[in-house]
Amino acid sequence: MDLSGLVTPANCTTAPLVGFDIETDTASGGLDPETAAVVATAVSTDSCDEVFTGYEAELLAKTDHFLSTIPTGYLVTWNGSTFDLPFVARRAELLGIDLGLELSDDPSRGSRHEPDRRAVRGRWHNLVQLDGYVLYRADVGRSLGLSCGLKPLARLVGMDPVELDREALHLASAEEVDAYVASDARTAAELVRRRMPAAALAADHMLTTVHPASTTGTGNPPRAARD
């Protein structure tokens, strides 16, 4: 496994945080990658928010290319361990697309309510995943009894994320979806930024039993912490 260029504990305090979020086709239920497509992705960096939409194969390829241009950093997700990354990997497999996304199964991250759901660690090109939901659930969620959903937690700390009815996302305008997915990516990165540098310890620095996206297993992602 080539670890050159990846974030390591030695340089973790200066590595950029890159927010990432996906939206899926709620007209098809939105939760099962066997039937629901990815309809939008967002990548939030210090300088801009990039949103990718259009034909699924094309938007995934563009997302992959954009992430490949970022030399190092953390890919900040919110429940990406059990939703975003496994979902993207499965969709890429079904579409026959090769991505720079590598996953390693980690059952310890799974939901006790849905033990059959796949849970992973991951990296995408040179970006090591840092799942903000896993980070906050481990301490803030347990001590305060919070669900640690992205929107409730953001509002709790005074942030104002874009709100939409996610179950009816297919009825929203393209502009509304763009703003929504970009807000989620940006909000995830900001919540993790507030916990740095200690948050870096929760990142997926090392992977074992790595599978490229084209060979990842199936498994329906859970609802937990999607909003």
Side-chain angles (χ1 to χ4, degrees):
M1 183 193 316
D2 182 12
L3 297 179
S4 61
L6 292 179
V7 175
T8 66
N11 62 7
C12 66
T13 58
T14 58
L17 300 177
V18 179
F20 178 72
D21 188 63
I22 70 171
E23 298 304 333
T24 58
D25 184 10
T26 53
S28 301
L31 296 174
D32 186 351
E34 302 300 317
T35 57
V38 176
V39 297
T41 66
V43 179
S44 180
T45 69
D46 290 340
S47 59
C48 67
D49 296 333
E50 292 284 345
V51 175
F52 302 94
T53 58
Y55 292 112
E56 184 181 25
E58 182 178 348
L59 76 87
L60 290 179
K62 287 183 177 179
T63 302
D64 184 71
H65 175 72
F66 184 80
L67 293 175
S68 75
T69 67
I70 304 175
T72 188
Y74 293 112
L75 186 72
V76 179
T77 67
W78 204 268
N79 204 30
S81 296
T82 52
F83 187 82
D84 302 72
L85 298 192
F87 200 106
V88 167
R90 180 57 180 156
R91 293 305 301 172
E93 181 181 13
L94 292 172
L95 293 166
I97 302 171
D98 290 326
L99 302 178
L101 174 61
E102 297 182 351
L103 305 179
S104 172
D105 289 317
D106 185 355
S108 70
R109 290 186 171 184
S111 168
R112 68 178 185 275
H113 302 296
E114 297 177 287
D116 295 332
R117 302 293 187 177
R118 190 181 186 207
V120 303
R121 291 175 179 265
R123 72 170 184 246
W124 203 328
H125 292 295
N126 289 326
L127 299 174
V128 177
Q129 184 193 208
L130 202 171
D131 189 333
Y133 173 65
V134 171
L135 170 70
Y136 275 85
R137 182 184 64 179
D139 50 20
V140 173
R142 289 177 180 173
S143 62
L144 299 181
L146 300 177
S147 69
C148 290
L150 179 63
K151 304 296 195 311
L153 190 59
R155 291 192 297 268
L156 183 66
V157 298
M159 299 176 67
D160 187 24
V162 174
E163 300 277 7
L164 280 180
D165 179 1
R166 193 185 179 281
E167 294 187 357
L169 200 68
H170 58 285
L171 301 177
S173 69
E175 292 76 14
E176 288 174 324
V177 173
D178 286 0
Y180 183 72
V181 67
S183 172
D184 279 4
R186 186 169 57 252
T187 299
E190 177 56 29
L191 285 171
V192 169
R193 184 173 291 109
R194 296 183 181 201
R195 300 286 302 275
M196 291 295 280
L201 297 175
D204 300 345
H205 288 296
M206 296 297 290
L207 301 177
T208 57
T209 317
V210 173
H211 305 286
S214 59
T215 60
T216 51
T218 60
N220 299 337
R223 293 177 178 271
R226 281 298 296 146
D227 58 2

